[in-house]
Amino acid sequence: MTEPLARTADLVKCFGDNRALDGVAMAIAPGRITGLVGPDGAGKTTLIRILAGLMAPSSGTVEMLGGKPGERLDDLGYMPQRFGLYEDLSVIENLRLYAEVRGLPRDAQQASFDRLLAFTDLARFQDRLAGKLSGGMKQKLGLACALVKTPRVLLLDEPGVGVDPISRRELWSMVGDLTGQGIGVLWSTAYLDEAEKCDTVYLLNEGQLLFDGPPAELTGRVKDRVIRVTGFKERRRAFLTQALDRDDVIDGTIQGRSVRLLLRDGRPVPDAGAFAAGPGTEVHVAAPRFEDGFIERLGGGPKGTSALAERYRTIPETDVDAIEANGLTKVFGEFTAARDMNFRIPRGQIFGLLGPNGAGKSTTFKMLCGLLSPTSGTGAVAGRSLRHSRADARAQLGYMAQKFSLYGDLSVRQNLDFFAGAYDLPRDKARRAIAAMIEIFELQDKLDVNAGTLPLGFKQRLALACAVMHEPPVLFLDEPTSGVDPVTRREFWMHINGLVEKGVTVLVTTHFMDEAEYCDRATLIYRAEQIATGTPDELKAEAARRTGVEDPTMEDAFIALIEAFDRKREEKEAA
């Protein structure tokens, strides 16, 4: 049996009374990808930092390349969770800096740079400032810097966060090539489709190791307990809410017009009549996924009824579209970021803006919520024109930014107080709203904590609480769950589904293609243009027609439609 390149035994790390790691044993094998998964605060980043020699354990043993962590840095590559490069330096300048820091001889540097620029397809961007790169290109540059001197062990702390599906596949392919050279890779991830591709997975929760072994072993534990329900008459969100509130259901997600459910262990598969959803309802056993085993091992997901939605006002019926985009175009100098965006979103629907990093999603998003003035075209929110009544339009919406946009130096309580004032809530109403947000989002123990130091899941809870405190009819959510673990994402969508049932309209951007399934309609933006618009099922059907894949996922559809657009463009240019 091949000796591991790194290992831990009985590893403990304490921060005061909190045990971030509690007796963890794991190993990284050469030529294999080892997955590290778990909810926010599980201990993943702490474990990686200990392996990298950046943090000392409280007790237990840690071995890295036959010695202690930090002794063999020449053979270690490390890519931190947050973009750790210098944004005011160019791509090539970052590579030169890391080469000097890693002690790569001057006569070997250019060959290394050429290899890495070709490997990451960044050669044509080598003079661009790192801060001007898209999310996917930043991650590629981070990987290149970690590989500037070929390591024996590569530690990757959630490299796919904030990266579109195409860039994630490219990253995965690049790292897969590295294992062929015998490099041992530890890949921490919040994307469970990535974990499913790993050779071995370690599942952490609250510092404890809940599972280790091949992903298929965890997936196999829920075989014959995953069902797909179709043909019900009720709205799919209402159906999911009712299903999740059942005692025999421990998890559920929306898939186009169907709903996918995970049953509690030992419970039989219910027949269609058990759901009381009408004569057209059908129940089929579905193939389990790694995510099903993951959620089951953590004790299941949240129930269906949203406390936030229960206290939210019902948005009145109206014939006026909640959001309108009419030819919206934004040009920066000679660069067109978004061209001729057109769509209408009625009350009580979720509309998704999908696309690769740098495609124009956020630009379109910012024009519609009044943060950017369009070069041409018009937009409206709740019937208020963004050109003529911008202040009135912005008063009708709640906004969650792509990056944590609250005040990091203010406490949770101070942020809630500030936003209640910013929304001009009367004092009594503000007090009741703040109390409700604290209870609904379980912020009681965090009230005096500075928002900037919160775990990511709590940051997102606070951001959503501040966005909905004034009960707006429209919500703008810009990659609201980026980097958040699957359990927290389910809690988030439980609230969103409940609000939509109350008539709230949602415009969302996301890189999680399973989240795109929650949308009533979505538009795929690529190279600043809308290249496809429809329901999730319509987009998947179009991908099936183009690729011949019988049952494509939304990620399959995303990639197939973009590749088809590129082929058509190349054929046009060749002609």
Side-chain angles (χ1 to χ4, degrees):
M1 182 177 178
T2 306
E3 280 293 306
L5 297 172
R7 70 178 107 203
T8 71
D10 299 320
L11 182 62
V12 174
K13 179 61 182 179
C14 299
F15 297 98
D17 294 332
N18 175 43
R19 285 200 167 205
L21 295 172
D22 189 4
V24 173
M26 58 88 63
I28 303 173
R32 297 174 73 82
I33 298 178
T34 301
L36 187 61
V37 298
D40 295 320
K44 302 186 298 295
T45 296
T46 299
L47 175 57
I48 288 177
R49 287 177 177 170
I50 290 174
L51 289 168
L54 299 175
M55 186 182 289
S58 300
S59 63
T61 59
V62 186
E63 184 180 307
M64 173 63 72
L65 297 168
K68 295 180 180 178
E71 290 182 348
R72 299 282 300 276
L73 293 180
D74 283 353
D75 290 325
L76 178 67
Y78 170 53
M79 185 175 168
Q81 187 173 4
R82 301 182 187 277
F83 183 59
L85 306 178
Y86 292 88
E87 298 204 354
D88 54 351
L89 295 182
S90 67
V91 168
I92 192 66
E93 287 169 340
N94 268 285
L95 286 171
R96 287 180 185 137
L97 175 63
Y98 272 76
E100 293 292 334
V101 170
R102 295 291 302 278
L104 186 66
R106 292 284 178 89
D107 59 359
Q109 289 185 10
Q110 192 57 51
S112 176
F113 300 159
D114 291 344
R115 172 178 57 84
L116 291 169
L117 290 170
F119 180 58
T120 57
D121 195 27
L122 289 174
R124 55 205 165 110
F125 303 107
Q126 59 184 299
D127 295 323
R128 183 176 295 185
L129 293 181
K132 299 294 185 182
L133 297 174
S134 70
M137 289 194 291
K138 284 182 178 179
Q139 296 302 76
K140 289 179 184 179
L141 177 56
L143 180 60
C145 289
L147 297 171
V148 72
K149 193 172 184 181
T150 304
R152 293 178 61 198
V153 175
L154 180 61
L155 306 176
L156 303 175
D157 196 356
E158 300 203 15
V161 168
V163 176
D164 64 79
I166 291 177
S167 296
R168 284 203 293 122
R169 284 197 179 187
E170 290 173 350
L171 279 171
W172 187 264
S173 176
M174 288 187 286
V175 171
D177 290 343
L178 296 174
T179 60
Q181 304 172 32
I183 296 173
V185 178
L186 180 64
W187 184 303
S188 169
T189 183
Y191 295 89
L192 296 186
D193 58 333
E194 290 180 350
E196 202 158 16
K197 299 174 186 175
C198 295
D199 298 294
T200 300
V201 166
Y202 291 88
L203 171 56
L204 290 176
N205 186 44
E206 296 181 349
Q208 296 188 335
L209 187 62
L210 299 187
F211 170 82
D212 67 277
E217 183 180 326
L218 189 63
T219 304
R221 296 183 182 184
V222 293
K223 185 181 178 183
D224 299 327
R225 290 167 50 198
V226 180
I227 59 174
R228 190 178 180 197
V229 187
T230 60
F232 44 82
K233 289 184 178 180
E234 288 84 358
R235 290 170 62 97
R236 57 195 181 141
R237 282 182 279 270
F239 179 86
L240 177 61
T241 298
Q242 295 163 8
L244 287 173
D245 285 336
R246 291 170 57 103
D247 184 60
D248 58 344
V249 175
I250 62 172
D251 187 40
T253 55
I254 287 174
Q255 273 194 309
R257 295 305 307 168
S258 64
V259 169
R260 196 168 183 276
L261 303 174
L262 174 62
L263 301 176
R264 192 177 300 279
D265 192 17
R267 296 299 183 91
V269 174
D271 59 27
F275 292 102
T281 304
E282 296 182 3
V283 177
H284 303 279
V285 175
R289 301 173 182 165
F290 179 79
E291 185 162 343
D292 299 315
F294 175 93
I295 295 292
E296 196 266 349
R297 194 66 185 83
L298 293 177
K303 286 299 182 183
T305 300
S306 163
L308 174 62
E310 285 191 318
R311 78 169 297 275
Y312 214 89
R313 68 188 177 105
T314 298
I315 307 303
E317 296 276 359
T318 176
D319 293 331
V320 177
D321 287 318
I323 302 173
E324 297 178 35
N326 302 303
L328 284 178
T329 298
K330 184 64 181 179
V331 179
F332 297 96
E334 297 181 356
F335 174 68
T336 301
R339 180 185 296 110
D340 195 27
M341 297 294 166
N342 290 284
F343 49 83
R344 293 173 178 268
I345 312 172
R347 168 194 176 276
Q349 285 196 7
I350 301 175
F351 190 87
L353 299 181
L354 312 179
N357 295 104
K361 303 186 306 299
S362 290
T363 299
T364 303
F365 190 94
K366 289 175 181 177
M367 285 192 286
L368 280 167
C369 61
L371 295 177
L372 274 179
S373 296
T375 305
S376 62
T378 61
V381 174
R384 277 78 165 179
S385 167
L386 289 165
R387 186 177 294 277
H388 303 295
S389 307
R390 181 175 295 187
D392 288 343
R394 290 172 71 169
Q396 299 300 309
L397 61 89
Y399 174 61
M400 243 183 109
Q402 184 174 359
K403 295 182 179 178
F404 183 61
S405 58
L406 305 182
Y407 293 91
D409 292 334
L410 296 183
S411 69
V412 168
R413 188 192 304 275
Q414 289 169 331
N415 268 284
L416 291 169
D417 288 339
F418 174 82
F419 278 90
Y423 293 131
D424 202 25
L425 292 178
R427 183 168 297 180
D428 286 349
K429 189 173 181 180
R431 186 171 60 249
R432 291 193 299 271
I434 290 171
M437 295 302 105
I438 291 170
E439 180 180 357
I440 289 168
F441 292 101
E442 300 178 358
L443 299 172
Q444 295 91 339
D445 296 336
K446 310 288 184 182
L447 290 177
D448 297 322
V449 177
N450 279 8
T453 65
L454 290 171
L456 183 56
F458 276 98
K459 283 183 178 178
Q460 300 303 80
R461 288 183 184 183
L462 176 60
L464 181 58
C466 290
V468 301
M469 199 183 310
H470 60 307
E471 300 186 30
V474 177
L475 280 179
F476 281 71
L477 309 174
D478 195 4
E479 294 187 29
T481 58
S482 179
V484 176
D485 67 84
V487 175
T488 304
R489 286 200 290 126
R490 279 163 165 74
E491 292 176 1
F492 181 90
W493 281 99
M494 176 220 8
H495 291 308
I496 298 305
N497 287 334
L499 293 181
V500 172
E501 289 298 302
K502 298 293 284 282
V504 175
T505 304
V506 177
L507 181 68
V508 61
T509 70
T510 181
H511 284 145
F512 287 99
M513 289 299 100
D514 58 337
E515 289 186 352
E517 297 273 16
Y518 287 92
C519 297
D520 294 282
R521 293 170 65 241
T523 190
L524 179 54
I525 300 174
Y526 181 52
R527 296 184 183 272
E529 297 182 22
Q530 289 176 270
I531 66 171
T533 302
T535 67
D537 284 345
E538 288 170 347
L539 295 177
K540 288 185 289 186
E542 178 63 16
R545 185 182 70 79
R546 292 178 181 273
T547 63
V549 176
E550 185 175 340
D551 187 20
T553 64
M554 273 299 292
E555 184 162 317
D556 294 331
F558 180 101
I559 292 169
L561 292 169
I562 285 176
E563 289 177 344
F565 180 87
D566 279 339
R567 284 194 300 271
K568 187 175 180 180
R569 185 179 182 185
E570 289 169 3
E571 290 168 0
K572 186 176 180 180
E573 290 175 351

